[in-house]
Amino acid sequence: MPSGVTRTTLRHMTYFPPPAEELRFLDSELRQLDARRAQLLARRAWLITMLQQAVQPAPPVWPSRQAQPGPSARPEATAPGVQNVLLLLGGILLTIAAMVFTLVSWGHLGIAGRSLVLGAVTLAVLGAPVALLRRGLRSTAESVAGLGLALTVLDAYALHEVVFTAADGTTYAAAASTALAALWAAYGTALAGLPGSATLRLPHPAALAVAQLPLVLWTIALGGGPLTVTAAVLLTTAFDAVVALRVSERPVRVVALVCGFGTGGWGVLAAGLLSLGAAGPSAAARAAALLLLAAVIALGVARFAPRPGLATGMATTAALCAVAGPVGVLRVSVPGDWVVPACLACGIALLAAARGPAAVRRGVVLASGVVQAGAVLWAVPAVGVTLLGPVAWLRHIWAGAPADSRAAVTADAFWPPYAVTVPLVLLAVAAVLATAVRGAERRPQALTAALTLTWAAVLVTPTALELPYLVGLLIQGLTVPALLAPALRGAAARTATGLALLTSLGLAFLSLATEPATLGVLASLTVVFAVAAWRGRQAPVSAAAALGWATALACAVGASAGWRPEIVALLVLVVPVAAALLAARLDDPVTTVTVEVTGAVAGFVAIALAVADPPLLALVLSLCGVIAAGTAVRPDRRDVGYAAVALFVLASWVRLAAWQVELPEAYTLPVTVPALLVGALRRRRDPASSSWTAYGPGLTVTLLPSLATAWSDVEWTRPLLLGAAGLLLTLLGARHRLRAPLVLGGSVLALVTLHELAPYLVQVTDALPRWVPPALAGLLLLALGATYEQRLRDVRRVREVLGRMN
């Protein structure tokens, strides 16, 4: 049969059962599938069990009655660790026993017995490591060798107590430490030279540790003073440095480094204290010689150090010691004002002496930087007094010109001693930064730091040199336009602008001493920053600064003319007007924002000045509202219109308060009317907006205060007018289908009506019988119950209909 005929025939012969019959068929097939799946899962579980039993080994024929041992616990300590602890404890206990025998039980033996016992024990203990090393017991040999070295110390003590009783303690200690150091070193070398034995690590480091004492003790025994003892300590440090750099044994190098750092730090500290305590050039020169010796030792270590970090640290130490020595001599040779400049000169000279490997040069440059940073820190108090001292003139405005610039900044401050040379120090460090730093990455930061230090030097010069007051004002006044020069770019320009602002603040405070200086300085600052903003020199900051100084100038002019503060407020309003006009012509968004913010701040200043006079305060608020409204005309400043409305409302409230108006509607209607107008405009632009958003705030501002007043008002005028307003709002809301007027008006009307009818309702309540309220409550409950039953019956009917549909 052709395929086309078959498809046509099958299309007409296909049987489609009803949905209910097809659903029963599908349920039957699913149940059969579930049963078959359960059978297959059971068979699979049985097969897995059989396979597991086949893999497990068969049990033994005669099973053991003993319990199988559990998993062994992991040891918490390793065998070598246990061994070392035991050996260490054994050596310590034997050493303690030998000490007790030597110190306590010594007297029971005679001279021969004592010598024989100690000698025999010491020789036996010192010889035992040889046999132990040949057997490969190195750790035990180390422990026994340590015991033997301790016994040699006890032998030396015993000899002093028995044989050398008349010897000086320091001299004997020096001789004993020398002998012990030599003996221990020879002992370690002898053990290392034995054939077939390993080298012990203890004798040579122990000998090096004891070798720290002989030179110092011999110096003390020979009557050496602090200088000689310090020299001995430094020579010991040199010995440690040689050992650390030349010896190949790692334990010896580690001990040499530790001892070298300890004795070196002790020697440098002692030499520094001797230099500080020197009373004359001779003593200072001897202390300087010690510091130079320490510098030579540190420089030698830096030259041959295997690691760059160690070389840099040692070079830095050497350079600092080399500077500290001459500075100690200069401290007692030159006047106090020139000590820090001399120290700075020595630090700068280090830059010329930076030679050798890169690590050494880096350390010398770092030491020079440390010296220069210390000189700058020494100058910081003088700069701080120069900047912050003039603030004290706020309590002595126009009290009269001071004697000089130092008296001007120290009205309520203390000038640091020996600070005459502060400008020289700052200029020297600035010159070094500007000329010595050559790297492309650090060059901009160095130039910025040099600019800051130069500014500080210029600022502090009149104070340090006690120049006349007017000269100090002139120098600071010329510094401001110099910092706003057009030659600066990038970070330097931003730094210079910040310094110019800081200088202008100090200059303004400093000018408060006299009236002409105040007016002249404020006018000059206004012009300088205005010109800088006009020429694009950090325009956002310069424009804001110009407006700020203009505000201060307006206040100063009003105070000079003898005007009251509220009158001065009208003059200050010129600044917000100028800011608003200027912001409308600017193209830079950042500058526009800073100008507008500064104008707003000036407006707040004017408001604060007029607070004492309510009528003038209302006028000032109105003028500020006019300025804000003029700003809101611009398309990008529409939101300022809200501020203008708020200012007008505040102005009206202040005026009403000045007229002693007590009606709340007089205060709320000036808010309600503009709010409703704004809401109407919003609804016209966006018909989908909610009436609560458009009209709710405006209506609430008046209705709620009036309702609260009417609730306690005994007159009939306000309730009548408020009820009429509520009725009108209800009708308007119903007419235009607006929820906010409808709800607010209806609520106000109902509450006013309830308030007016309350006395009559009380009378009616008193006239009703006592059974009426319970009866009314019962009727209400019956009505609610009937309604509830009706709802349940409707739900029951819906459920029955759905059941029949299934």
Side-chain angles (χ1 to χ4, degrees), residues 429-503:
V429 177
V432 171
L433 289 174
T435 56
V437 180
R438 298 294 184 182
E441 297 180 357
R442 298 182 179 180
R443 179 71 175 172
Q445 292 84 355
L447 291 177
T448 302
L451 173 64
T452 304
L453 293 175
T454 305
W455 162 80
V458 173
L459 188 70
V460 80
T461 297
T463 308
L465 301 181
E466 297 183 273
L467 297 179
Y469 171 68
L470 293 179
V471 175
L473 287 179
L474 180 62
I475 291 176
Q476 292 194 21
L478 294 176
T479 303
V480 176
L483 290 169
L484 299 174
L488 300 176
R489 294 290 184 273
R494 292 190 292 272
T495 303
T497 304
L499 296 177
L501 283 175
L502 195 59
T503 306

Side-chain angles (χ1 to χ4, degrees), residues 73-466:
R74 184 177 181 180
E76 297 182 356
T78 61
V82 174
Q83 165 196 306
N84 293 332
V85 170
L86 294 177
L87 292 175
L88 179 62
L89 289 176
I92 292 174
L93 292 177
L94 288 175
T95 304
I96 294 173
M99 292 174 62
V100 171
F101 173 77
T102 303
L103 299 176
V104 178
S105 302
W106 191 259
H108 299 290
L109 297 176
I111 250 231
R114 299 171 189 174
S115 302
L116 289 175
V117 170
L118 259 183
V121 172
T122 302
L123 290 176
V125 172
L126 289 177
V130 177
L132 293 173
L133 287 175
R134 289 178 178 177
R135 293 177 177 272
L137 303 176
R138 181 174 179 177
S139 297
T140 306
E142 292 280 1
S143 179
V144 174
L147 174 60
L149 298 180
L151 288 176
T152 58
V153 178
L154 294 177
D155 290 339
Y157 172 76
L159 289 174
H160 178 266
E161 292 295 322
V162 176
V163 180
F164 303 103
T165 55
D168 178 64
T170 305
T171 305
Y172 184 80
S177 60
T178 305
L180 288 175
L183 176 63
W184 292 358
Y187 177 68
T189 305
L191 289 179
L194 293 176
S197 62
T199 304
L200 291 181
R201 292 175 292 182
L202 181 61
H204 284 158
L208 181 60
V210 175
Q212 308 301 309
L213 302 176
L215 189 57
V216 178
L217 292 177
W218 279 117
T219 304
I220 297 174
L222 296 176
L227 289 171
T228 311
V229 173
T230 304
V233 172
L234 292 176
L235 291 176
T236 305
T237 303
F239 169 73
D240 294 332
V242 172
V243 172
L245 294 175
R246 296 303 180 186
V247 176
S248 60
E249 298 180 22
R250 180 178 177 80
V252 177
R253 290 204 312 270
V254 171
V255 174
L257 282 175
V258 173
C259 294
F261 280 117
T263 55
W266 176 20
V268 171
L269 179 61
L273 293 176
L274 290 173
S275 179
L276 290 176
S282 177
R286 290 192 292 270
L290 293 177
L291 289 171
L292 290 178
L293 175 61
V296 171
I297 297 171
L299 187 60
V301 174
R303 182 64 179 81
F304 298 101
R307 295 183 180 181
L310 179 60
T312 301
M314 289 292 99
T316 303
T317 304
L320 291 176
C321 291
V323 171
V327 168
V329 177
L330 293 173
R331 184 184 63 85
V332 295
S333 304
V334 300
D337 293 328
W338 294 95
V339 173
V340 175
C343 179
L344 179 61
C346 296
I348 295 174
L350 290 175
L351 296 176
R355 297 291 186 271
V360 176
R361 294 198 307 270
R362 191 181 306 113
V364 174
V365 172
L366 180 60
S368 177
V370 170
V371 174
Q372 296 179 56
V376 172
L377 289 177
W378 169 78
V380 166
V383 179
V385 171
T386 304
L387 278 176
L388 303 178
V391 179
W393 286 103
L394 288 173
R395 298 187 299 174
H396 313 287
I397 295 178
W398 298 346
D404 51 42
S405 296
R406 183 178 296 183
V409 302
T410 56
D412 291 337
F414 173 73
W415 182 250
Y418 306 118
V420 176
T421 55
V422 166
L424 178 61
V425 170
L426 295 174
L427 287 176
V429 177
V432 171
L433 289 174
T435 56
V437 180
R438 298 294 184 182
E441 297 180 357
R442 298 182 179 180
R443 179 71 175 172
Q445 292 84 355
L447 291 177
T448 302
L451 173 64
T452 304
L453 293 175
T454 305
W455 162 80
V458 173
L459 188 70
V460 80
T461 297
T463 308
L465 301 181
E466 297 183 273

Side-chain angles (χ1 to χ4, degrees), residues 12 47 525 747:
H12 293 285
L47 290 174
L525 291 176
S747 301

